[in-house]
Amino acid sequence: MAITTLSIQRGKWLEFPASAGPRAPGGPTAKSQEGCMSNATQSALRGSPGDQPGNPRSAFGGIDKSAVRTTQDRPDFTAIEQSPEFRALRRRLKWFVFPATAFFLIWYLGYVAVAAYAREFMARPLIGEINVGLVLGVAQFVTTVGLTTLYLRFARRRIDPKVDEIRQDAGDLQR
């Protein structure tokens, strides 16, 4: 008896003789062989436990809720962006960020240029083995920390209160 096809139905292998033709699995000419598939094959055919009736499907870690906000009362971000309060806030932020960035870039590139072209100046000793180049290099780190501290203070005093006002006006009290 020649076997033309093998079909899987509920964990069983079904053999169909060549003369059987295209018949439904489990039909009169099919021979069933129990236990020929491994548990891994059977579970792959059944699907995940969430696909079974009576088992709710859950995501990774048992989280079944979406992080996407589903309420219809979302703030109108276009209106917020075009509001005079938001534009004033952006202007205020730019007045700090652009000059601070320009200052730091000029200071950093100036340090690199002086280190590359004024070696004698950078090598001039100040106290013992400490020279001008070392002091200016450490000053780069001090400047970075100082600018970060200034920005945090500026944002806490000038930006954050305005952001809270805009959020409150927009009806979005949650952060």
Side-chain angles (χ1 to χ4, degrees):
M1 177 184 336
I3 299 173
T4 56
T5 58
L6 288 176
S7 178
I8 302 171
Q9 179 184 15
R10 297 196 187 261
K12 301 177 188 174
W13 289 97
L14 300 175
E15 294 180 2
F16 295 96
S19 62
R23 297 188 189 217
T29 59
K31 280 194 323 186
S32 175
Q33 292 180 352
E34 295 280 345
C36 293
M37 291 191 296
S38 69
N39 287 339
T41 306
Q42 291 177 12
S43 64
L45 292 172
R46 282 195 304 265
S48 68
D51 295 337
Q52 301 301 317
N55 290 335
R57 186 166 183 89
S58 63
F60 177 75
I63 300 171
D64 58 351
K65 292 183 180 179
S66 172
V68 177
R69 192 185 281 177
T70 58
T71 59
Q72 296 301 327
D73 54 339
R74 292 177 39 154
D76 183 7
F77 294 113
T78 305
I80 292 171
E81 185 179 16
Q82 294 173 353
S83 71
E85 296 87 10
F86 185 78
R87 289 176 187 236
L89 178 68
R90 295 282 307 223
R91 244 187 330 272
R92 179 177 278 178
L93 186 63
K94 285 178 187 178
W95 275 103
F96 181 88
V97 171
F98 287 132
T101 303
F103 164 74
F104 187 77
L105 286 175
I106 291 169
W107 164 227
Y108 175 74
L109 294 175
Y111 171 75
V112 172
V114 169
Y117 297 109
R119 292 183 181 171
E120 299 83 27
F121 172 73
M122 294 296 262
R124 185 174 299 157
L126 294 177
I127 302 170
E129 295 295 319
I130 299 174
N131 60 18
V132 174
L134 184 61
V135 171
L136 292 179
V138 171
Q140 291 284 315
F141 292 103
V142 173
T143 304
T144 303
V145 171
L147 276 175
T148 303
T149 304
L150 281 174
Y151 175 75
L152 289 174
R153 185 175 177 205
F154 170 77
R156 187 174 32 252
R157 290 184 177 182
R158 308 265 186 202
I159 302 299
D160 292 346
K162 291 292 183 184
V163 169
D164 291 340
E165 283 179 27
I166 292 171
R167 280 191 179 133
Q168 207 168 31
D169 291 344
D172 185 20
L173 298 175
Q174 302 154 346
R175 283 194 138 185

